[in-house]
Amino acid sequence: MGTYLILFSIVTLSLYNVLLKQFSQKLLLLFWVSFFSYIGFVAIYLFQSLILQHDHHAIYELIFAYTFEDIPLYLIIALSFLGSMIISEKLLEGYDLSLVIPISQFGILLASAGYIALGAPFQWSLVIGIVILCCGTFILSLSATAKHLSLSVFAEFLRIPRHLWLLVALQALCFTVSAVVSYLGTKETVRTDTLMDGVKRLHLGPIAFHGAFYFNLGQQIYSITIFLVYILVRKKYRRGIFSPLAARAKYLCLVVLAYIAAEYAYFSAFTITSNTTILLVLDNLSIPITLSFSYFLLKEQIGEMKIIGSSLIVLGGLIAAM
């Protein structure tokens, strides 16, 4: 069941990526996607709890269990999310996209190591799969500027400025912190139990394990709040904050629906799957599926390097899942 859910999540996430290309102000779009997806997740929660399960304490639990518990964890994730958005903006404004995307994939390696450190099972096939997957992502991303795979492409990679490496390292760190803290709050292992007990002794508020879906309900409202504060502080974003609603409302609805479907399926798979590190790797299979959607829906050209890179990503994901 978990495999089918993650495959559905991958397909809908790929559709989300294709729809995302239709917007120019992506940072503002991402804010509204986060905002409306939170409303959608709350609606799903209330429907399941009040209508299907007849749980009259659902609203109380939403506020006091899922929103006001685990506040230290939620704030760490929210700040990491905001940091990732700011760094992504600097990367895309200052450097070529074909260099930014591949080296940003190193966050997967760090997050996988974090999962294993918290008790996820270790497998050598996972390590081999991640390495192959990262190589495929690197080749796929460089296809934006190079038509053929050659040594000159890798020479360009070696000439990346140190400032760019610093930004990418910080972005990978933000991604890793968010992923590892989410794992800490949702998966009960010997190591996570010990760490959660340590957090409780700090007396920073009530701390408890929650399912991935319910944990997301709590952390997302903090991420949205901090994201909104950042947008309001930045003058260039504050003026156009409602532009995605006014200009492309129908497309925004499609993007939000695709995002909610992808995330809900992923949370469900995360909840019922013991080896969540594999889910993290399989999630990158959305890249070749996105290429297919781009070819058929956006009429983009698929060259040699895109085919090689996509093939390596698929191979790496299959090896990691063994």
Side-chain angles (χ1 to χ4, degrees):
M1 185 63 179
T3 302
Y4 294 113
L5 286 171
I6 195 62
L7 288 176
F8 176 78
S9 174
I10 289 170
V11 172
T12 50
L13 182 63
S14 301
L15 178 62
Y16 164 77
N17 290 331
V18 171
L19 293 172
L20 196 62
K21 293 182 180 180
Q22 306 298 320
F23 293 85
S24 57
Q25 297 180 338
K26 290 182 174 56
L27 190 68
L28 293 176
L29 174 67
L30 290 172
F31 167 75
W32 286 112
V33 169
S34 299
F35 177 79
F36 286 116
S37 65
Y38 174 73
I39 295 177
F41 287 134
V42 170
I44 293 173
Y45 166 77
L46 293 177
F47 176 78
Q48 290 179 336
S49 301
L50 295 177
I51 306 300
L52 299 182
Q53 301 174 358
H54 304 288
D55 183 2
H56 300 292
H57 301 286
I59 297 178
Y60 177 88
E61 291 179 349
L62 174 64
I63 297 174
F64 294 100
Y66 306 136
T67 303
F68 290 142
E69 287 186 355
D70 295 337
I71 291 179
L73 304 184
Y74 294 156
L75 289 177
I76 292 174
I77 294 175
L79 292 173
S80 299
F81 174 75
L82 177 60
S84 179
M85 294 297 101
I86 296 174
I87 294 169
S88 297
E89 179 186 25
K90 293 183 180 296
L91 285 170
L92 295 175
E93 287 180 351
Y95 299 97
D96 193 88
L97 185 63
S98 64
L99 293 177
V100 171
I101 292 178
I103 57 179
S104 297
Q105 299 303 312
F106 293 122
I108 299 173
L109 297 174
L110 297 178
S112 299
Y115 282 3
I116 294 172
L118 290 178
F122 173 81
Q123 295 174 332
W124 281 108
S125 60
L126 177 66
V127 177
I128 297 173
I130 290 175
V131 171
I132 295 176
L133 188 146
C134 289
C135 291
T137 307
F138 168 71
I139 294 174
L140 180 63
S141 300
L142 288 181
S143 64
T145 56
K147 295 182 179 180
H148 303 285
L149 188 61
S150 63
L151 293 178
S152 62
V153 174
F154 296 96
E156 180 184 357
F157 182 76
L158 294 175
R159 291 195 296 267
I160 297 176
R162 293 182 179 179
H163 183 253
L164 176 57
W165 280 115
L166 176 61
L167 291 175
V168 169
L170 292 174
Q171 186 186 50
L173 179 62
C174 290
F175 174 80
T176 302
V177 169
S178 179
V180 170
V181 173
S182 296
Y183 187 96
L184 176 63
T186 56
K187 291 291 182 179
E188 290 192 63
T189 67
V190 174
R191 295 174 184 174
T192 56
D193 277 332
T194 302
L195 290 173
M196 290 290 272
D197 287 338
V199 176
K200 291 177 182 178
R201 286 195 290 268
L202 296 176
H203 302 291
L204 298 176
I207 301 295
F209 288 100
H210 295 297
F213 176 76
Y214 305 107
F215 188 85
N216 176 70
L217 282 177
Q219 69 84 15
Q220 197 169 6
I221 191 170
Y222 292 92
S223 296
I224 292 171
T225 302
I226 293 178
F227 200 172
L228 177 61
V229 171
Y230 174 74
I231 289 176
L232 294 178
V233 169
R234 297 292 301 275
K235 186 177 180 179
K236 66 176 183 178
Y237 297 127
R238 184 171 66 247
R239 290 180 174 178
I241 187 172
F242 295 106
S243 58
L245 299 177
R248 306 291 294 274
K250 293 182 178 180
Y251 248 99
L252 177 60
C253 291
L254 291 176
V255 174
V256 171
L257 289 176
Y259 181 80
I260 290 175
E263 290 298 295
Y264 185 73
Y266 185 85
F267 294 142
S268 301
F270 191 93
T271 301
I272 65 177
T273 303
S274 58
N275 191 356
T276 51
T277 309
I278 291 179
L279 298 182
L280 186 65
V281 176
L282 289 178
D283 191 51
N284 275 331
L285 294 177
S286 63
I287 296 178
I289 299 177
T290 300
L291 278 181
S292 301
F293 282 168
S294 298
Y295 177 76
F296 290 107
L297 300 179
L298 302 178
K299 308 301 180 182
E300 294 184 355
Q301 296 298 317
I302 306 298
E304 169 190 334
M305 292 184 63
K306 289 184 178 180
I307 295 175
I308 294 174
S310 298
S311 300
L312 287 175
I313 291 173
V314 173
L315 177 62
L318 292 175
I319 292 176
M322 289 182 177

